[in-house]
Amino acid sequence: MPAAANPVHVTVTGAAGQIGYALLFRIASGQLLGPDTPVHLHLLEVPQALKAAEGTAMELDDCAFPLLAGVDIHDDATAAFAGANVALLVGARPRTAGMERGDLLSANGGIFGPQGAAINAGAADDVRVLVVGNPANTNAYIAQQHAPDVPADRFTAMTRLDHNRALAQVAARTGSSVDDIARLAIWGNHSATQYPDLSHATIAGRPALEVIDDEGWVHETFIPTVAKRGAAIIEARGASSAASAANAAIDHVHTWVHGTPAGDWTSAGVVSDGSYGVPAGLVASFPVTATGGAFTIVPGLELDAFSRARIDASVAELVEEREAVRALGLV
Ligand SMILES: NC(=O)C1=CN([C@@H]2O[C@H](COP(=O)(O)OP(=O)(O)OC[C@H]3O[C@@H](n4cnc5c(N)ncnc54)[C@H](O)[C@@H]3O)[C@@H](O)[C@H]2O)C=CC1
Ligand SMILES: O=C([O-])CC(=O)C(=O)O
């Protein structure tokens, strides 16, 4: 049966890339927005990748997804974002072995200003934007700065992959199920300076740090493993994370739209309102809840000296990235 009228319009940039290939089929099958919501996909690619995007669109057709109301392919951002309700900004060059994500600033930063302007010009009033392309936080900042008419809280950056990596590490260490772990948080930048924070986390209701009972493991193994996982995947796979990144993008938007479970939170890069001393306007990762289609930074958490120093270090990197994009004339 064809999908019902009034589908949600979802624009995906970098549609012919490796994350795009892992993402589009899951969106079209209903995993992004739920089993009752038809979607119309708008794929944005650079001209030289349009043919590959067409091939992916042919495969989407061949899946006969009942929820897929249509697929358009564009090489023009204004057309691709016209009427978009959800915008997944994936298209950007990935890093290769030996690079830090910040090394991509000048290569990728130039993509996100024009895309922010196109979202400002023509996206739907309820548009929600997730930036995946690296450096994700600062690219989200650039896009948001070019979209003055869109509420700033509609621009987010992906740190859900870091959050999921942290859940997996804790589950493996403690022999627990990821479902039993709550209130874990990723703070700061989606980079090696990020702070995966277990100080408020619980495992089956007990303080996670008490269950783990090994501060050395937390500081010397857990934090660096999560923070450097992207590089470890590149080293092992010869290419950066793709399926796990697509999965995290699905989780991020699904949570944004459908909400966080009672008593738990997740992590997302959101525009800071000055909470926890993070300069207002920066796109930084915080523990967040989602209700009614909006993320809220979890208020009032106590931060010990270790957490404070780690957050400050990652935020200092975000400030440096902001200065760099200002110097490059990208904002
Ligand atoms: N935030 C996160 O947790 C993660 C972010 N990433 C980042 O996601 C980005 C994409 O990664 P992959 O899919 O593996 O890369 P890829 O190289 O396989 O695909 C990127 C695609 O983007 C397209 N593209 C480039 N410029 C574009 C533009 N202006 N408009 C539309 N499309 C454009 C390219 O033609 C290519 O098809 C990279 O920057 C990567 O570092 C990857 C993993 C996790
Ligand atoms: O590390 C990379 O370059 C890709 C990425 O963002 C990740 O896997 O976290």
Side-chain angles (χ1 to χ4, degrees), residues 95 101 134 161-162 165 190 229-231 234 240-241:
R95 67 178 171 148
R101 295 186 188 92
N134 278 318
L161 179 53
D162 311 290
R165 287 167 171 164
H190 172 63
R229 186 72 164 180
I234 292 170
S240 64
S241 307

Side-chain angles (χ1 to χ4, degrees), residues 18-19 93-96 99-101 104 132-136 158 161-162 165 190-191 194 226-234 239-242 244-245:
Q18 52 156 2
I19 296 176
R93 186 185 142 189
R95 67 178 171 148
T96 43
M99 291 172 84
E100 284 303 325
R101 295 186 188 92
L104 293 173
V132 174
N134 278 318
M158 193 164 93
L161 179 53
D162 311 290
R165 287 167 171 164
H190 172 63
S191 77
Q194 68 179 263
V226 174
K228 296 181 188 162
R229 186 72 164 180
I233 300 285
I234 292 170
S240 64
S241 307
S244 56

